[in-house]
Amino acid sequence: MDGNGRWATARHLPRVAGHSRGVDAVRHAIEACGRRGVQYLTLFAFSSENWTRPQDEVSTLMRLFVNALEKEVDKLNESGVRLRVVGEMNAFDAGLQALIVDAQRRTAANDRLNLTVCASYGGRWDITQAVRALLREDPTLGAHPERIDEKLLASHLALAFAPEPDLLIRTGGERRVSNFLLWQLAYSELYFSDLLWPDFDATALDAALAWFATRERRFGRTSAQVALAG
Ligand code: IPE
Ligand code: MG
């Protein structure tokens, strides 16, 4: 979800106004995905690297996060949304951590839409924490590295509960992954929109989904093999 700052700057508003409109766009995106039967929606809200932004912008983003958790979780619950927050939780203050734990607990029985908010998240962080978790669980692995395979490592990633994404949408005109789901994006279709995140609406989502529907997904096979498999 990129482009909040530019959205605000273009209107001679402070960047925080863009982040606040970004939250509105998140609400609309969740509703639109729910209506379209999307089962997993994973939002990149705040990266490991975003901690290096100016202190006042970081605290504004944290305040918006707290506000959203305080105000939106009831509605998410009523809509059958299961919320998970994935990332380095220890970086958040205790109050925010408690809100996250509570929101996850309250929505845990829902299964209409699995909404994951990646916050204080980086793909490199995730792979690193998975390796640590593996070795913590079985310290003998170090002496038998051949026992580590892709499936075992993947099962320790923070997003192990979710399938790998079919479609990645990045707004804001940049063509890069910026440390998002590095492991899981191996075969995702990548869609880049020049719209700034606050302008990304249901029409824009439909354009992305229509583009996705034209893609042939081969997963390393040939086109003929895919046609044969049906
Ligand atoms: C939102 O957009 C992404 C967040 C980290 C919340 P930006 O804040 O990166 O907006 P631009 O790229 O400066 O326009
Ligand atoms: Mg940006």
Side-chain angles (χ1 to χ4, degrees):
M1 303 185 285
D2 196 15
N4 293 349
R6 281 165 283 165
W7 184 94
T9 305
R11 285 161 182 78
H12 308 287
L13 296 168
R15 289 176 59 84
V16 15
H19 293 313
S20 167
R21 287 298 287 261
V23 176
D24 297 337
V26 166
R27 197 181 302 111
H28 297 141
I30 295 168
E31 285 164 9
C33 285
R35 281 198 301 273
R36 283 155 185 74
V38 171
Q39 288 177 305
Y40 288 85
L41 173 65
T42 304
L43 300 172
F44 199 9
F46 191 84
S47 73
S48 312
E49 291 75 27
N50 286 149
W51 289 112
T52 63
R53 288 195 178 191
Q55 180 56 46
D56 62 328
E57 180 163 344
V58 170
S59 39
T60 296
L61 286 165
M62 293 305 136
R63 190 173 44 74
L64 286 172
F65 197 10
V66 166
N67 271 356
L69 286 168
E70 284 174 346
K71 293 202 185 119
E72 310 281 347
V73 175
D74 282 339
K75 209 169 57 194
L76 292 177
N77 218 354
E78 284 160 27
S79 320
V81 175
R82 176 169 189 177
L83 175 70
R84 293 177 178 93
V85 181
V86 164
E88 179 54 69
M89 294 297 112
N90 292 332
F92 297 131
D93 73 39
L96 178 49
Q97 287 187 47
L99 280 172
I100 291 168
V101 169
D102 184 56
Q104 294 185 143
R105 188 186 48 75
R106 280 165 62 204
T107 62
N110 299 333
D111 63 0
R112 184 154 171 262
L113 171 65
N114 286 280
L115 170 67
T116 304
V117 174
C118 290
S120 189
Y121 171 90
R124 291 175 177 175
W125 164 81
D126 194 6
I127 294 167
T128 307
Q129 73 74 32
V131 172
R132 286 182 185 157
L134 260 180
L135 287 169
R136 220 177 282 124
E137 188 182 282
D138 181 359
T140 69
L141 270 181
H144 303 280
E146 68 286 351
R147 280 203 250 133
I148 302 174
D149 59 14
E150 291 183 12
K151 199 164 160 242
L152 184 64
L153 184 54
S155 70
H156 289 73
L157 292 170
L159 273 121
F161 59 85
E164 291 172 9
D166 291 310
L167 171 63
L168 167 93
I169 300 174
R170 180 180 182 139
T171 62
E174 313 287 2
R175 268 72 173 158
R176 55 177 175 250
V177 169
S178 300
N179 202 12
F180 196 31
L181 309 166
L182 295 181
W183 176 284
Q184 297 89 340
L185 290 178
Y187 276 98
S188 305
E189 301 295 330
L190 308 182
Y191 182 86
F192 297 99
S193 167
D194 289 332
L195 289 174
L196 302 174
W197 173 250
D199 293 326
F200 192 86
D201 57 9
T203 307
L205 175 67
D206 284 336
L209 294 176
W211 173 82
F212 173 76
T214 68
R215 308 307 304 154
E216 180 189 55
R217 312 209 52 211
R218 292 190 293 275
F219 298 95
R221 292 170 301 163
T222 67
S223 206
Q225 286 176 302
V226 173
L228 216 64

PDB file of all heavy atoms in Angstrom, residues 95-131:
ATOM      1  N   GLY A  95       0.911  -1.445  24.962  1.00  0.00           N
ATOM      2  CA  GLY A  95      -0.511  -1.200  24.736  1.00  0.00           C
ATOM      3  C   GLY A  95      -0.958  -1.710  23.376  1.00  0.00           C
ATOM      4  O   GLY A  95      -2.006  -2.362  23.241  1.00  0.00           O
ATOM      5  N   LEU A  96      -0.168  -1.411  22.354  1.00  0.00           N
ATOM      6  CA  LEU A  96      -0.488  -1.856  20.998  1.00  0.00           C
ATOM      7  C   LEU A  96      -0.418  -3.383  20.908  1.00  0.00           C
ATOM      8  O   LEU A  96      -1.292  -4.023  20.317  1.00  0.00           O
ATOM      9  CB  LEU A  96       0.463  -1.188  19.992  1.00  0.00           C
ATOM     10  CG  LEU A  96       0.316  -1.553  18.513  1.00  0.00           C
ATOM     11  CD1 LEU A  96      -1.131  -1.476  18.043  1.00  0.00           C
ATOM     12  CD2 LEU A  96       1.184  -0.628  17.649  1.00  0.00           C
ATOM     13  N   GLN A  97       0.595  -3.955  21.538  1.00  0.00           N
ATOM     14  CA  GLN A  97       0.703  -5.420  21.523  1.00  0.00           C
ATOM     15  C   GLN A  97      -0.536  -6.066  22.140  1.00  0.00           C
ATOM     16  O   GLN A  97      -1.051  -7.058  21.622  1.00  0.00           O
ATOM     17  CB  GLN A  97       1.952  -5.878  22.294  1.00  0.00           C
ATOM     18  CG  GLN A  97       3.250  -5.615  21.556  1.00  0.00           C
ATOM     19  CD  GLN A  97       4.449  -6.244  22.274  1.00  0.00           C
ATOM     20  OE1 GLN A  97       4.410  -7.402  22.671  1.00  0.00           O
ATOM     21  NE2 GLN A  97       5.493  -5.471  22.453  1.00  0.00           N
ATOM     22  N   ALA A  98      -1.023  -5.476  23.221  1.00  0.00           N
ATOM     23  CA  ALA A  98      -2.199  -6.034  23.893  1.00  0.00           C
ATOM     24  C   ALA A  98      -3.430  -5.929  22.988  1.00  0.00           C
ATOM     25  O   ALA A  98      -4.245  -6.859  22.919  1.00  0.00           O
ATOM     26  CB  ALA A  98      -2.436  -5.311  25.217  1.00  0.00           C
ATOM     27  N   LEU A  99      -3.568  -4.800  22.278  1.00  0.00           N
ATOM     28  CA  LEU A  99      -4.696  -4.636  21.353  1.00  0.00           C
ATOM     29  C   LEU A  99      -4.646  -5.682  20.238  1.00  0.00           C
ATOM     30  O   LEU A  99      -5.672  -6.223  19.823  1.00  0.00           O
ATOM     31  CB  LEU A  99      -4.669  -3.236  20.728  1.00  0.00           C
ATOM     32  CG  LEU A  99      -5.221  -2.085  21.558  1.00  0.00           C
ATOM     33  CD1 LEU A  99      -4.921  -0.755  20.862  1.00  0.00           C
ATOM     34  CD2 LEU A  99      -6.731  -2.238  21.766  1.00  0.00           C
ATOM     35  N   ILE A 100      -3.444  -5.945  19.750  1.00  0.00           N
ATOM     36  CA  ILE A 100      -3.274  -6.930  18.678  1.00  0.00           C
ATOM     37  C   ILE A 100      -3.680  -8.319  19.164  1.00  0.00           C
ATOM     38  O   ILE A 100      -4.462  -9.022  18.509  1.00  0.00           O
ATOM     39  CB  ILE A 100      -1.806  -6.923  18.169  1.00  0.00           C
ATOM     40  CG1 ILE A 100      -1.505  -5.615  17.428  1.00  0.00           C
ATOM     41  CG2 ILE A 100      -1.532  -8.134  17.283  1.00  0.00           C
ATOM     42  CD1 ILE A 100      -0.029  -5.375  17.128  1.00  0.00           C
ATOM     43  N   VAL A 101      -3.166  -8.692  20.342  1.00  0.00           N
ATOM     44  CA  VAL A 101      -3.491 -10.010  20.906  1.00  0.00           C
ATOM     45  C   VAL A 101      -5.003 -10.143  21.068  1.00  0.00           C
ATOM     46  O   VAL A 101      -5.616 -11.149  20.698  1.00  0.00           O
ATOM     47  CB  VAL A 101      -2.761 -10.212  22.264  1.00  0.00           C
ATOM     48  CG1 VAL A 101      -3.286 -11.437  23.002  1.00  0.00           C
ATOM     49  CG2 VAL A 101      -1.253 -10.312  22.037  1.00  0.00           C
ATOM     50  N   ASP A 102      -5.625  -9.081  21.583  1.00  0.00           N
ATOM     51  CA  ASP A 102      -7.061  -9.098  21.831  1.00  0.00           C
ATOM     52  C   ASP A 102      -7.854  -9.203  20.522  1.00  0.00           C
ATOM     53  O   ASP A 102      -8.801  -9.993  20.417  1.00  0.00           O
ATOM     54  CB  ASP A 102      -7.438  -7.821  22.591  1.00  0.00           C
ATOM     55  CG  ASP A 102      -8.899  -7.809  22.976  1.00  0.00           C
ATOM     56  OD1 ASP A 102      -9.324  -8.776  23.659  1.00  0.00           O
ATOM     57  OD2 ASP A 102      -9.622  -6.874  22.571  1.00  0.00           O
ATOM     58  N   ALA A 103      -7.458  -8.441  19.513  1.00  0.00           N
ATOM     59  CA  ALA A 103      -8.169  -8.458  18.228  1.00  0.00           C
ATOM     60  C   ALA A 103      -8.056  -9.834  17.570  1.00  0.00           C
ATOM     61  O   ALA A 103      -9.019 -10.341  16.985  1.00  0.00           O
ATOM     62  CB  ALA A 103      -7.611  -7.380  17.306  1.00  0.00           C
ATOM     63  N   GLN A 104      -6.880 -10.426  17.680  1.00  0.00           N
ATOM     64  CA  GLN A 104      -6.689 -11.756  17.081  1.00  0.00           C
ATOM     65  C   GLN A 104      -7.548 -12.799  17.801  1.00  0.00           C
ATOM     66  O   GLN A 104      -8.152 -13.654  17.163  1.00  0.00           O
ATOM     67  CB  GLN A 104      -5.211 -12.155  17.141  1.00  0.00           C
ATOM     68  CG  GLN A 104      -4.349 -11.258  16.256  1.00  0.00           C
ATOM     69  CD  GLN A 104      -2.892 -11.679  16.196  1.00  0.00           C
ATOM     70  OE1 GLN A 104      -2.262 -11.585  15.156  1.00  0.00           O
ATOM     71  NE2 GLN A 104      -2.356 -12.127  17.317  1.00  0.00           N
ATOM     72  N   ARG A 105      -7.598 -12.682  19.111  1.00  0.00           N
ATOM     73  CA  ARG A 105      -8.384 -13.633  19.904  1.00  0.00           C
ATOM     74  C   ARG A 105      -9.875 -13.493  19.592  1.00  0.00           C
ATOM     75  O   ARG A 105     -10.574 -14.470  19.368  1.00  0.00           O
ATOM     76  CB  ARG A 105      -8.116 -13.394  21.402  1.00  0.00           C
ATOM     77  CG  ARG A 105      -8.718 -14.433  22.336  1.00  0.00           C
ATOM     78  CD  ARG A 105      -8.539 -14.048  23.810  1.00  0.00           C
ATOM     79  NE  ARG A 105      -8.902 -12.664  24.118  1.00  0.00           N
ATOM     80  CZ  ARG A 105     -10.157 -12.200  24.203  1.00  0.00           C
ATOM     81  NH1 ARG A 105     -11.177 -13.030  24.039  1.00  0.00           N
ATOM     82  NH2 ARG A 105     -10.398 -10.922  24.473  1.00  0.00           N
ATOM     83  N   ARG A 106     -10.323 -12.228  19.519  1.00  0.00           N
ATOM     84  CA  ARG A 106     -11.759 -12.012  19.299  1.00  0.00           C
ATOM     85  C   ARG A 106     -12.232 -12.462  17.931  1.00  0.00           C
ATOM     86  O   ARG A 106     -13.392 -12.801  17.753  1.00  0.00           O
ATOM     87  CB  ARG A 106     -12.084 -10.521  19.491  1.00  0.00           C
ATOM     88  CG  ARG A 106     -12.209 -10.162  20.962  1.00  0.00           C
ATOM     89  CD  ARG A 106     -12.151  -8.670  21.165  1.00  0.00           C
ATOM     90  NE  ARG A 106     -13.227  -7.958  20.505  1.00  0.00           N
ATOM     91  CZ  ARG A 106     -13.162  -6.670  20.140  1.00  0.00           C
ATOM     92  NH1 ARG A 106     -12.070  -5.976  20.369  1.00  0.00           N
ATOM     93  NH2 ARG A 106     -14.184  -6.097  19.566  1.00  0.00           N
ATOM     94  N   THR A 107     -11.348 -12.432  16.933  1.00  0.00           N
ATOM     95  CA  THR A 107     -11.776 -12.780  15.575  1.00  0.00           C
ATOM     96  C   THR A 107     -11.342 -14.199  15.172  1.00  0.00           C
ATOM     97  O   THR A 107     -11.550 -14.608  14.030  1.00  0.00           O
ATOM     98  CB  THR A 107     -11.208 -11.774  14.545  1.00  0.00           C
ATOM     99  OG1 THR A 107      -9.770 -11.828  14.581  1.00  0.00           O
ATOM    100  CG2 THR A 107     -11.654 -10.342  14.847  1.00  0.00           C
ATOM    101  N   ALA A 108     -10.786 -14.944  16.121  1.00  0.00           N
ATOM    102  CA  ALA A 108     -10.136 -16.230  15.782  1.00  0.00           C
ATOM    103  C   ALA A 108     -11.087 -17.264  15.188  1.00  0.00           C
ATOM    104  O   ALA A 108     -10.657 -18.161  14.462  1.00  0.00           O
ATOM    105  CB  ALA A 108      -9.445 -16.798  17.009  1.00  0.00           C
ATOM    106  N   ALA A 109     -12.381 -17.150  15.497  1.00  0.00           N
ATOM    107  CA  ALA A 109     -13.315 -18.176  15.007  1.00  0.00           C
ATOM    108  C   ALA A 109     -13.864 -17.841  13.620  1.00  0.00           C
ATOM    109  O   ALA A 109     -14.607 -18.639  13.044  1.00  0.00           O
ATOM    110  CB  ALA A 109     -14.461 -18.337  16.004  1.00  0.00           C
ATOM    111  N   ASN A 110     -13.529 -16.694  13.082  1.00  0.00           N
ATOM    112  CA  ASN A 110     -14.077 -16.285  11.780  1.00  0.00           C
ATOM    113  C   ASN A 110     -13.312 -16.923  10.631  1.00  0.00           C
ATOM    114  O   ASN A 110     -12.111 -17.152  10.740  1.00  0.00           O
ATOM    115  CB  ASN A 110     -14.021 -14.761  11.640  1.00  0.00           C
ATOM    116  CG  ASN A 110     -14.847 -14.075  12.716  1.00  0.00           C
ATOM    117  OD1 ASN A 110     -15.801 -14.649  13.229  1.00  0.00           O
ATOM    118  ND2 ASN A 110     -14.465 -12.851  13.063  1.00  0.00           N
ATOM    119  N   ASP A 111     -14.009 -17.179   9.538  1.00  0.00           N
ATOM    120  CA  ASP A 111     -13.303 -17.777   8.397  1.00  0.00           C
ATOM    121  C   ASP A 111     -13.769 -17.264   7.037  1.00  0.00           C
ATOM    122  O   ASP A 111     -13.440 -17.847   6.008  1.00  0.00           O
ATOM    123  CB  ASP A 111     -13.394 -19.307   8.446  1.00  0.00           C
ATOM    124  CG  ASP A 111     -14.827 -19.803   8.336  1.00  0.00           C
ATOM    125  OD1 ASP A 111     -15.745 -18.957   8.217  1.00  0.00           O
ATOM    126  OD2 ASP A 111     -15.035 -21.026   8.372  1.00  0.00           O
ATOM    127  N   ARG A 112     -14.535 -16.169   7.019  1.00  0.00           N
ATOM    128  CA  ARG A 112     -14.996 -15.668   5.725  1.00  0.00           C
ATOM    129  C   ARG A 112     -13.828 -15.045   4.954  1.00  0.00           C
ATOM    130  O   ARG A 112     -13.609 -15.345   3.798  1.00  0.00           O
ATOM    131  CB  ARG A 112     -16.110 -14.640   5.936  1.00  0.00           C
ATOM    132  CG  ARG A 112     -16.706 -14.145   4.634  1.00  0.00           C
ATOM    133  CD  ARG A 112     -18.136 -13.667   4.788  1.00  0.00           C
ATOM    134  NE  ARG A 112     -18.554 -13.015   3.533  1.00  0.00           N
ATOM    135  CZ  ARG A 112     -18.541 -11.714   3.348  1.00  0.00           C
ATOM    136  NH1 ARG A 112     -18.150 -10.917   4.336  1.00  0.00           N
ATOM    137  NH2 ARG A 112     -18.915 -11.204   2.196  1.00  0.00           N
ATOM    138  N   LEU A 113     -13.075 -14.193   5.624  1.00  0.00           N
ATOM    139  CA  LEU A 113     -11.900 -13.571   5.008  1.00  0.00           C
ATOM    140  C   LEU A 113     -10.760 -13.595   6.018  1.00  0.00           C
ATOM    141  O   LEU A 113     -10.923 -13.132   7.153  1.00  0.00           O
ATOM    142  CB  LEU A 113     -12.218 -12.125   4.600  1.00  0.00           C
ATOM    143  CG  LEU A 113     -11.030 -11.271   4.140  1.00  0.00           C
ATOM    144  CD1 LEU A 113     -10.428 -11.800   2.847  1.00  0.00           C
ATOM    145  CD2 LEU A 113     -11.459  -9.817   3.941  1.00  0.00           C
ATOM    146  N   ASN A 114      -9.638 -14.150   5.616  1.00  0.00           N
ATOM    147  CA  ASN A 114      -8.433 -14.124   6.455  1.00  0.00           C
ATOM    148  C   ASN A 114      -7.645 -12.873   6.127  1.00  0.00           C
ATOM    149  O   ASN A 114      -7.021 -12.778   5.073  1.00  0.00           O
ATOM    150  CB  ASN A 114      -7.585 -15.364   6.183  1.00  0.00           C
ATOM    151  CG  ASN A 114      -8.190 -16.602   6.802  1.00  0.00           C
ATOM    152  OD1 ASN A 114      -8.046 -16.833   7.995  1.00  0.00           O
ATOM    153  ND2 ASN A 114      -8.906 -17.377   6.006  1.00  0.00           N
ATOM    154  N   LEU A 115      -7.712 -11.921   7.024  1.00  0.00           N
ATOM    155  CA  LEU A 115      -7.031 -10.648   6.820  1.00  0.00           C
ATOM    156  C   LEU A 115      -5.745 -10.647   7.641  1.00  0.00           C
ATOM    157  O   LEU A 115      -5.782 -10.819   8.861  1.00  0.00           O
ATOM    158  CB  LEU A 115      -7.943  -9.501   7.271  1.00  0.00           C
ATOM    159  CG  LEU A 115      -7.293  -8.122   7.349  1.00  0.00           C
ATOM    160  CD1 LEU A 115      -6.901  -7.629   5.959  1.00  0.00           C
ATOM    161  CD2 LEU A 115      -8.249  -7.127   8.014  1.00  0.00           C
ATOM    162  N   THR A 116      -4.635 -10.472   6.968  1.00  0.00           N
ATOM    163  CA  THR A 116      -3.360 -10.401   7.671  1.00  0.00           C
ATOM    164  C   THR A 116      -2.747  -9.033   7.444  1.00  0.00           C
ATOM    165  O   THR A 116      -2.634  -8.582   6.305  1.00  0.00           O
ATOM    166  CB  THR A 116      -2.396 -11.491   7.164  1.00  0.00           C
ATOM    167  OG1 THR A 116      -3.036 -12.753   7.305  1.00  0.00           O
ATOM    168  CG2 THR A 116      -1.101 -11.488   7.956  1.00  0.00           C
ATOM    169  N   VAL A 117      -2.417  -8.380   8.528  1.00  0.00           N
ATOM    170  CA  VAL A 117      -1.742  -7.095   8.439  1.00  0.00           C
ATOM    171  C   VAL A 117      -0.268  -7.332   8.776  1.00  0.00           C
ATOM    172  O   VAL A 117       0.061  -7.776   9.881  1.00  0.00           O
ATOM    173  CB  VAL A 117      -2.373  -6.064   9.398  1.00  0.00           C
ATOM    174  CG1 VAL A 117      -1.577  -4.768   9.400  1.00  0.00           C
ATOM    175  CG2 VAL A 117      -3.830  -5.797   8.998  1.00  0.00           C
ATOM    176  N   CYS A 118       0.597  -7.092   7.815  1.00  0.00           N
ATOM    177  CA  CYS A 118       2.029  -7.217   8.055  1.00  0.00           C
ATOM    178  C   CYS A 118       2.532  -5.874   8.575  1.00  0.00           C
ATOM    179  O   CYS A 118       2.459  -4.857   7.881  1.00  0.00           O
ATOM    180  CB  CYS A 118       2.753  -7.602   6.773  1.00  0.00           C
ATOM    181  SG  CYS A 118       2.390  -9.292   6.273  1.00  0.00           S
ATOM    182  N   ALA A 119       2.991  -5.869   9.805  1.00  0.00           N
ATOM    183  CA  ALA A 119       3.425  -4.623  10.440  1.00  0.00           C
ATOM    184  C   ALA A 119       4.697  -4.899  11.218  1.00  0.00           C
ATOM    185  O   ALA A 119       4.786  -5.907  11.928  1.00  0.00           O
ATOM    186  CB  ALA A 119       2.331  -4.093  11.365  1.00  0.00           C
ATOM    187  N   SER A 120       5.669  -4.024  11.082  1.00  0.00           N
ATOM    188  CA  SER A 120       7.007  -4.284  11.596  1.00  0.00           C
ATOM    189  C   SER A 120       7.483  -5.592  10.969  1.00  0.00           C
ATOM    190  O   SER A 120       8.080  -6.449  11.619  1.00  0.00           O
ATOM    191  CB  SER A 120       6.985  -4.373  13.135  1.00  0.00           C
ATOM    192  OG  SER A 120       8.278  -4.426  13.649  1.00  0.00           O
ATOM    193  N   TYR A 121       7.163  -5.735   9.690  1.00  0.00           N
ATOM    194  CA  TYR A 121       7.388  -6.970   8.955  1.00  0.00           C
ATOM    195  C   TYR A 121       8.402  -6.758   7.843  1.00  0.00           C
ATOM    196  O   TYR A 121       8.408  -5.713   7.177  1.00  0.00           O
ATOM    197  CB  TYR A 121       6.065  -7.466   8.329  1.00  0.00           C
ATOM    198  CG  TYR A 121       6.283  -8.633   7.381  1.00  0.00           C
ATOM    199  CD1 TYR A 121       6.251  -9.940   7.839  1.00  0.00           C
ATOM    200  CD2 TYR A 121       6.584  -8.406   6.029  1.00  0.00           C
ATOM    201  CE1 TYR A 121       6.499 -11.007   6.981  1.00  0.00           C
ATOM    202  CE2 TYR A 121       6.843  -9.461   5.169  1.00  0.00           C
ATOM    203  CZ  TYR A 121       6.796 -10.759   5.656  1.00  0.00           C
ATOM    204  OH  TYR A 121       7.062 -11.797   4.801  1.00  0.00           O
ATOM    205  N   GLY A 122       9.208  -7.777   7.612  1.00  0.00           N
ATOM    206  CA  GLY A 122      10.066  -7.811   6.434  1.00  0.00           C
ATOM    207  C   GLY A 122      10.204  -9.263   6.011  1.00  0.00           C
ATOM    208  O   GLY A 122      10.217 -10.156   6.866  1.00  0.00           O
ATOM    209  N   GLY A 123      10.308  -9.508   4.725  1.00  0.00           N
ATOM    210  CA  GLY A 123      10.497 -10.878   4.252  1.00  0.00           C
ATOM    211  C   GLY A 123      11.782 -11.485   4.815  1.00  0.00           C
ATOM    212  O   GLY A 123      11.839 -12.668   5.157  1.00  0.00           O
ATOM    213  N   ARG A 124      12.812 -10.670   4.944  1.00  0.00           N
ATOM    214  CA  ARG A 124      14.080 -11.168   5.495  1.00  0.00           C
ATOM    215  C   ARG A 124      13.945 -11.485   6.977  1.00  0.00           C
ATOM    216  O   ARG A 124      14.492 -12.465   7.480  1.00  0.00           O
ATOM    217  CB  ARG A 124      15.187 -10.137   5.270  1.00  0.00           C
ATOM    218  CG  ARG A 124      15.548 -10.005   3.814  1.00  0.00           C
ATOM    219  CD  ARG A 124      16.541  -8.894   3.612  1.00  0.00           C
ATOM    220  NE  ARG A 124      16.935  -8.811   2.208  1.00  0.00           N
ATOM    221  CZ  ARG A 124      17.729  -7.874   1.710  1.00  0.00           C
ATOM    222  NH1 ARG A 124      18.205  -6.938   2.522  1.00  0.00           N
ATOM    223  NH2 ARG A 124      18.029  -7.869   0.433  1.00  0.00           N
ATOM    224  N   TRP A 125      13.202 -10.629   7.684  1.00  0.00           N
ATOM    225  CA  TRP A 125      12.916 -10.916   9.097  1.00  0.00           C
ATOM    226  C   TRP A 125      12.227 -12.273   9.205  1.00  0.00           C
ATOM    227  O   TRP A 125      12.570 -13.099  10.065  1.00  0.00           O
ATOM    228  CB  TRP A 125      12.022  -9.812   9.691  1.00  0.00           C
ATOM    229  CG  TRP A 125      11.396 -10.243  10.993  1.00  0.00           C
ATOM    230  CD1 TRP A 125      11.985 -10.223  12.235  1.00  0.00           C
ATOM    231  CD2 TRP A 125      10.106 -10.825  11.167  1.00  0.00           C
ATOM    232  NE1 TRP A 125      11.127 -10.756  13.172  1.00  0.00           N
ATOM    233  CE2 TRP A 125       9.958 -11.127  12.536  1.00  0.00           C
ATOM    234  CE3 TRP A 125       9.035 -11.114  10.294  1.00  0.00           C
ATOM    235  CZ2 TRP A 125       8.809 -11.715  13.064  1.00  0.00           C
ATOM    236  CZ3 TRP A 125       7.888 -11.696  10.814  1.00  0.00           C
ATOM    237  CH2 TRP A 125       7.779 -11.991  12.191  1.00  0.00           C
ATOM    238  N   ASP A 126      11.249 -12.502   8.341  1.00  0.00           N
ATOM    239  CA  ASP A 126      10.445 -13.720   8.445  1.00  0.00           C
ATOM    240  C   ASP A 126      11.308 -14.965   8.230  1.00  0.00           C
ATOM    241  O   ASP A 126      11.228 -15.937   8.996  1.00  0.00           O
ATOM    242  CB  ASP A 126       9.289 -13.677   7.429  1.00  0.00           C
ATOM    243  CG  ASP A 126       8.235 -14.731   7.727  1.00  0.00           C
ATOM    244  OD1 ASP A 126       8.335 -15.406   8.773  1.00  0.00           O
ATOM    245  OD2 ASP A 126       7.303 -14.885   6.911  1.00  0.00           O
ATOM    246  N   ILE A 127      12.146 -14.938   7.202  1.00  0.00           N
ATOM    247  CA  ILE A 127      12.999 -16.108   6.930  1.00  0.00           C
ATOM    248  C   ILE A 127      13.974 -16.323   8.088  1.00  0.00           C
ATOM    249  O   ILE A 127      14.194 -17.438   8.547  1.00  0.00           O
ATOM    250  CB  ILE A 127      13.726 -15.939   5.579  1.00  0.00           C
ATOM    251  CG1 ILE A 127      12.692 -15.942   4.428  1.00  0.00           C
ATOM    252  CG2 ILE A 127      14.755 -17.050   5.375  1.00  0.00           C
ATOM    253  CD1 ILE A 127      13.232 -15.466   3.083  1.00  0.00           C
ATOM    254  N   THR A 128      14.507 -15.233   8.610  1.00  0.00           N
ATOM    255  CA  THR A 128      15.446 -15.334   9.731  1.00  0.00           C
ATOM    256  C   THR A 128      14.768 -15.903  10.983  1.00  0.00           C
ATOM    257  O   THR A 128      15.301 -16.803  11.649  1.00  0.00           O
ATOM    258  CB  THR A 128      16.054 -13.954  10.046  1.00  0.00           C
ATOM    259  OG1 THR A 128      16.593 -13.417   8.839  1.00  0.00           O
ATOM    260  CG2 THR A 128      17.143 -14.040  11.089  1.00  0.00           C
ATOM    261  N   GLN A 129      13.563 -15.396  11.281  1.00  0.00           N
ATOM    262  CA  GLN A 129      12.891 -15.907  12.485  1.00  0.00           C
ATOM    263  C   GLN A 129      12.490 -17.371  12.297  1.00  0.00           C
ATOM    264  O   GLN A 129      12.455 -18.135  13.266  1.00  0.00           O
ATOM    265  CB  GLN A 129      11.732 -14.998  12.925  1.00  0.00           C
ATOM    266  CG  GLN A 129      10.454 -15.018  12.088  1.00  0.00           C
ATOM    267  CD  GLN A 129       9.619 -16.267  12.287  1.00  0.00           C
ATOM    268  OE1 GLN A 129       9.595 -16.849  13.370  1.00  0.00           O
ATOM    269  NE2 GLN A 129       8.932 -16.699  11.220  1.00  0.00           N
ATOM    270  N   ALA A 130      12.230 -17.787  11.058  1.00  0.00           N
ATOM    271  CA  ALA A 130      11.873 -19.192  10.803  1.00  0.00           C
ATOM    272  C   ALA A 130      13.067 -20.101  11.094  1.00  0.00           C
ATOM    273  O   ALA A 130      12.919 -21.160  11.718  1.00  0.00           O
ATOM    274  CB  ALA A 130      11.402 -19.364   9.353  1.00  0.00           C
ATOM    275  N   VAL A 131      14.257 -19.686  10.668  1.00  0.00           N
ATOM    276  CA  VAL A 131      15.459 -20.486  10.919  1.00  0.00           C
ATOM    277  C   VAL A 131      15.708 -20.590  12.428  1.00  0.00           C
ATOM    278  O   VAL A 131      15.983 -21.667  12.967  1.00  0.00           O
ATOM    279  CB  VAL A 131      16.688 -19.860  10.210  1.00  0.00           C
ATOM    280  CG1 VAL A 131      17.971 -20.571  10.613  1.00  0.00           C
ATOM    281  CG2 VAL A 131      16.501 -19.892   8.689  1.00  0.00           C
TER     282      VAL A 131
END
